[in-house]
Amino acid sequence: MTEVNIKELLASYDKKNLVIATACSHSSLQLFNGAKKEGFKTLGIAIGEVKKYYDAFPLGKPDEFFIVENYKDIMKCAEELQQKNVIVIPHGSFVEYLGPKNFTTLNLPTFGNRQVLQWESDREKERVWLEGAGITMPKEVKDARNIEKPVIVKYHGAKGGKGFFIAKTFAEFSKRVKHDKPYTIQEFVMGTRYYLHYFYSPIQDTGYKLKKGSLQLLSMDRRDETTIDEVQRLGSIAELEELGIHPTFVVTGNIPIVMRESLLPQVFKMGEAVVEKSLELFGGVIGPFCLETVVTEDLEFKVFEISARIVAGTNPYVSGSPYSELIQPDLSTGRRIAQELRYALKHDSLEEILT
Amino acid sequence: MTEVNIKELLASYDKKNLVIATACSHSSLQLFNGAKKEGFKTLGIAIGEVKKYYDAFPLGKPDEFFIVENYKDIMKCAEELQQKNVIVIPHGSFVEYLGPKNFTTLNLPTFGNRQVLQWESDREKERVWLEGAGITMPKEVKDARNIEKPVIVKYHGAKGGKGFFIAKTFAEFSKRVKHDKPYTIQEFVMGTRYYLHYFYSPIQDTGYKLKKGSLQLLSMDRRDETTIDEVQRLGSIAELEELGIHPTFVVTGNIPIVMRESLLPQVFKMGEAVVEKSLELFGGVIGPFCLETVVTEDLEFKVFEISARIVAGTNPYVSGSPYSELIQPDLSTGRRIAQELRYALKHDSLEEILT
Amino acid sequence: MTEVNIKELLASYDKKNLVIATACSHSSLQLFNGAKKEGFKTLGIAIGEVKKYYDAFPLGKPDEFFIVENYKDIMKCAEELQQKNVIVIPHGSFVEYLGPKNFTTLNLPTFGNRQVLQWESDREKERVWLEGAGITMPKEVKDARNIEKPVIVKYHGAKGGKGFFIAKTFAEFSKRVKHDKPYTIQEFVMGTRYYLHYFYSPIQDTGYKLKKGSLQLLSMDRRDETTIDEVQRLGSIAELEELGIHPTFVVTGNIPIVMRESLLPQVFKMGEAVVEKSLELFGGVIGPFCLETVVTEDLEFKVFEISARIVAGTNPYVSGSPYSELIQPDLSTGRRIAQELRYALKHDSLEEILT
């Protein structure tokens, strides 16, 4: 898939002066903060101009800015960035801005396995991966006339859940749906949402060991979506629909949360199975990933999505979470990534965590 | 009630090598973490096998596992555990797994006053205790035909609120109720829920002093229950009931929260009264306890339940809460318990905090 | 406006022994804690008696209590407090208890610009300020017959939102409104609420620089209001209204939250514009202030109110927030205020931050 030859790329790098880089958005404050804590130099890739808001956060500000006119221009600058010994830490916005194809072929050492993208962005492959790992996902409804229980309708590629809607019957569905865009009809799973932030290391095997490497749980959050998550202050969705007001599912932030401890064995079993299936399918999901789950009244998990890199839901935990505190004080996901690079540097195994 | 002779039990203990033990669930990561911070050895009682998820949390992992086939087997192992100098820290799941009768007679030194169990688990005695302390509880509706305001119907002994439902009228009640199980009909109090995590020390009298000992407030949380706490994403309860979907009240996690400071005097007055009434009734609630409250629009507290030991709502605060930070940095409830044991050891007053 | 001559007042002060004082409520634990961390003596102004709850929080307890019969008596005690070298840190309750007129003329050095009060408490002047800064506020509906979209009706001077209600039509409005009190009808903005905690320093210009001084973002919260924020556990508002149950908007606490990073540039632009407009209008909003915002589905901010001093929403962050951790570990808004005083002392610029 990726044509990047990581061995070759790294050969020219000055390993004592690696620079951790990412795009100036999403979770970049946390990533730069974590990298600094582990003694790395940092570089922020920004559009058009230096982003002034970093000035307000000295411990999250990159040492250097790299300005491009638009993110796609990064492709042309790969060589220049190589000369700076840049390692890219991709986050959701980085991948989105660059575009999946560019991301896959970007000629820079990138933390994590870029192969994962095709398995994560294609709903059918995602299902093969997750269900193959024994995960329960919400069912898909192929034919809208078969809607018997509440469903959520998701337009493909819709940014931040825009246009998504919930329907309880075929009639409701028909009233709302726009047929000019491709969509998926998914069982709406009743329950409470937990976004689980894992970290998989293929090179360290202390801790919760897998067949290869080890797994951590660094934190959890609940995503906060406008307008759906405050809509109850006005009325029920059905009442609002009648007034022509349609709730939306656009992410605006994240709320910290913990889960009852008796569910943790299931949490680890899911994470373990997802990693091991990924090793089998495409060489493994490396570093941070997130299972987006709903816990039902029977205390069963349904996973409605996987994000195969750092999620913004880790941002409440810049200085540690109730889970990471049980690993090491002051450990964010951003810092954990930097630690993984440090470890790989020391053990000469960068090629196993970069692609 | 309890036939355990704590004086005799402790006589055989090597006080320099106490081991803090609990069942591997609920808040055990926090308890082990707190015990380690105070220099205690720890032991995790687990069913069937070593629980692997602890490997992911080295600072919350017990030094030793003690495997039993089922929790009730702990009864037979009391002597063996005595020889290991084990002090049990009970949490909600420990008591539930063992069963109240076993718990009361378990021949091991147990943190807190086991007498409290009978006052907490019997709804009528609980009411005598709390209302005797001047606490306002939701009213009970003896006859369903008298339902005039929203009520919540709770089945006795239902795990995690399963089957609980809300009714606004007798008709709604009749439609939902299952007569094959005993239930209580309770006024549904409108307001915001705050779960208040207190700690009562009968042996230290620095701080907020009571007639005997002193009281702390270590943290607060809001319990997160599936499906009720996310049900608004789909519709109002009445709308869902019509579709045959019944919200449930099964606890899945906890969200951190703080309360407006002007309510703290009431919070302490309630805690104080509850402790002093408990001293009068049964020798006192010792260590952590939780009042589960609703704050009404008139800023009055209604207490719908008491938990007389550590609650899982303290789990967001493994490394301190906005309240405990005003006592000592990095102070969890788990650590506070370990500190109490340390203090008692030093002042030769273990018998006052163990039963 | 204020007749206080700050220069004269400070002349008599022993600058090496300043005492930080506030009223014993609201955010006082945090303020005292922050002042202690920066090495200041502290004084708590309390009604009638020493507030016992501070005993439970030794790191938030003032070194000295100053007892008055009611808050208005502070006016008579100004001289006595001057002799103690008292600097007042006002919070919302302090201003409310004293009354705006008294507050403005209180003859004690007060942190922040007291001029701001008239711009903040008068809804029309507030609009001139904020809209003058380019901020979008919810529209006002002058004539209830023009209600076409959901509105919120706010009674003037209503404590904690008591009596506020939401109406979706003129009919709903008419049924609920009480004509004996003055009210404002405001567009109800659909979206998720974020309360942004800024700090403006006119004397330090490291960090995010403005024309004069610099701006920080210290934290965010979501306000928790009884009964509206848990009302969905019972039913939709319309359903409850039919039962004669009217949701209320009384603040009971605060929940920690973070915002997606891509919105931070907007957050700083808003803060910047609000400060610079305030410099133009009345000498500037000094120290902490809060924009109370709703983020719409188009990721636009609507600001429904400004609080021009420390808000209780900073209380979850006694030992730092996910944002302040990127400035300095363990930095609360209370501590930041104390730091500003330290800095001004060192640079002989107290007069620029006190009025």
Side-chain angles (χ1 to χ4, degrees), chain B residues 79-233:
Chain B
E79 209 167 319
E80 193 181 342
L81 290 166
Q82 287 166 24
Q83 278 157 13
K84 290 175 182 283
N85 298 302
V86 154
I87 307 277
V88 169
I89 316 291
H91 50 57
S93 303
F94 186 88
V95 175
E96 185 194 327
Y97 296 154
L98 210 60
K101 267 198 192 150
N102 284 335
F103 175 65
T104 315
T105 55
L106 175 64
N107 204 20
L108 283 170
T110 299
F111 183 72
N113 183 353
R114 283 187 262 185
Q115 300 272 358
V116 72
L117 196 63
Q118 50 172 316
W119 289 89
E120 171 199 20
S121 55
D122 175 323
R123 283 186 197 278
E124 284 181 33
K125 279 191 152 182
E126 188 189 33
R127 208 168 263 276
V128 168
W129 176 13
L130 296 182
E131 293 189 342
I135 298 286
T136 310
M137 296 181 77
K139 286 190 197 91
E140 259 186 56
V141 178
K142 303 279 179 193
D143 186 334
R145 285 165 300 187
N146 296 333
I147 294 174
E148 286 174 345
K149 289 196 290 186
V151 296
I152 181 161
V153 182
K154 298 177 174 184
Y155 294 104
H156 295 184
K159 264 199 199 175
K162 270 206 104 171
F164 287 16
F165 67 93
I166 289 166
K168 297 193 284 298
T169 60
F170 177 57
E172 274 183 36
F173 168 85
S174 305
K175 220 194 286 176
R176 280 297 303 282
V177 74
K178 286 177 189 162
H179 286 289
D180 54 346
K181 297 184 246 178
Y183 55 80
T184 309
I185 307 174
Q186 207 175 62
E187 171 196 10
F188 181 89
V189 181
M190 300 279 292
T192 41
R193 288 169 301 140
Y194 291 81
Y195 294 72
L196 312 173
H197 316 145
Y198 298 91
F199 190 94
Y200 169 60
S201 167
I203 54 175
Q204 299 195 46
D205 54 9
T206 51
Y208 190 99
K209 284 180 206 172
L210 308 192
K211 275 178 204 149
K212 179 191 171 191
S214 60
L215 184 68
Q216 293 176 315
L217 177 75
L218 293 179
S219 49
M220 299 180 189
D221 80 298
R222 175 158 302 158
R223 200 178 273 177
D224 187 43
E225 294 174 344
T226 191
T227 57
I228 189 75
D229 280 319
E230 294 254 276
V231 101
Q232 79 282 357
R233 290 172 77 95

Side-chain angles (χ1 to χ4, degrees), chain A residues 26-29 52-53 55-59 162 224 226 230 233-234 239 243 248 251-254 256 316, chain C residues 166 168 190-194 207-209 222 225 229 236-237 258 260-261 268 295-298 322 326-327:
Chain A
H26 192 274
S27 51
S28 74
L29 286 162
K52 197 179 163 189
Y53 73 93
D55 289 346
F57 303 115
L59 306 183
K162 270 205 105 171
D224 188 42
T226 190
E230 295 255 275
R233 290 172 75 95
L234 190 53
E239 290 165 7
L243 291 167
T248 54
V251 183
T252 51
N254 305 275
Chain C
I166 289 167
K168 295 192 285 297
M190 299 279 292
T192 41
R193 287 168 302 138
Y194 290 81
Y208 190 100
K209 284 181 206 170
R222 175 158 303 158
E225 294 175 344
D229 279 319
S236 81
I237 293 170
V258 301
R260 64 190 286 175
E261 194 175 314
F268 277 93
V295 183
T296 69
E297 61 181 278
D298 301 313
L326 298 167
I327 302 171

Side-chain angles (χ1 to χ4, degrees), chain C residues 190-338:
Chain C
M190 299 279 292
T192 41
R193 287 168 302 138
Y194 290 81
Y195 295 72
L196 311 173
H197 315 145
Y198 298 92
F199 189 95
Y200 170 59
S201 167
I203 55 176
Q204 299 195 45
D205 53 10
T206 52
Y208 190 100
K209 284 181 206 170
L210 308 192
K211 275 178 202 147
K212 180 191 171 192
S214 60
L215 183 68
Q216 293 175 316
L217 177 75
L218 294 178
S219 49
M220 298 179 190
D221 79 297
R222 175 158 303 158
R223 202 178 270 176
D224 188 42
E225 294 175 344
T226 189
T227 56
I228 188 76
D229 279 319
E230 294 254 276
V231 100
Q232 78 282 359
R233 290 172 76 94
L234 190 53
S236 81
I237 293 170
E239 290 166 6
L240 297 177
E241 295 279 357
E242 262 177 47
L243 292 167
I245 300 170
H246 307 303
T248 54
F249 297 75
V250 182
V251 183
T252 51
N254 305 275
I255 292 173
I257 200 165
V258 301
M259 187 179 276
R260 64 190 286 175
E261 194 175 314
S262 58
L263 296 174
L264 289 184
Q266 280 185 74
V267 165
F268 277 93
K269 260 173 220 152
M270 288 194 300
E272 181 168 0
V274 163
V275 169
E276 294 194 337
K277 190 76 192 172
S278 77
L279 287 164
E280 188 190 314
L281 291 174
F282 57 86
V285 55
I286 294 167
F289 66 97
C290 175
L291 293 183
E292 309 181 6
T293 75
V294 172
V295 183
T296 69
E297 61 181 278
D298 301 313
L299 295 176
E300 289 170 350
F301 285 87
K302 305 251 177 155
V303 175
F304 53 94
E305 212 160 329
I306 185 168
S307 297
R309 58 197 60 73
I310 188 171
V311 289
T314 59
N315 286 339
Y317 305 113
V318 163
S319 59
S321 84
Y323 296 100
S324 69
E325 287 289 324
L326 298 167
I327 302 171
Q328 178 189 325
D330 193 25
L331 181 64
S332 67
T333 294
R335 185 175 186 185
R336 181 64 190 82
I337 292 170

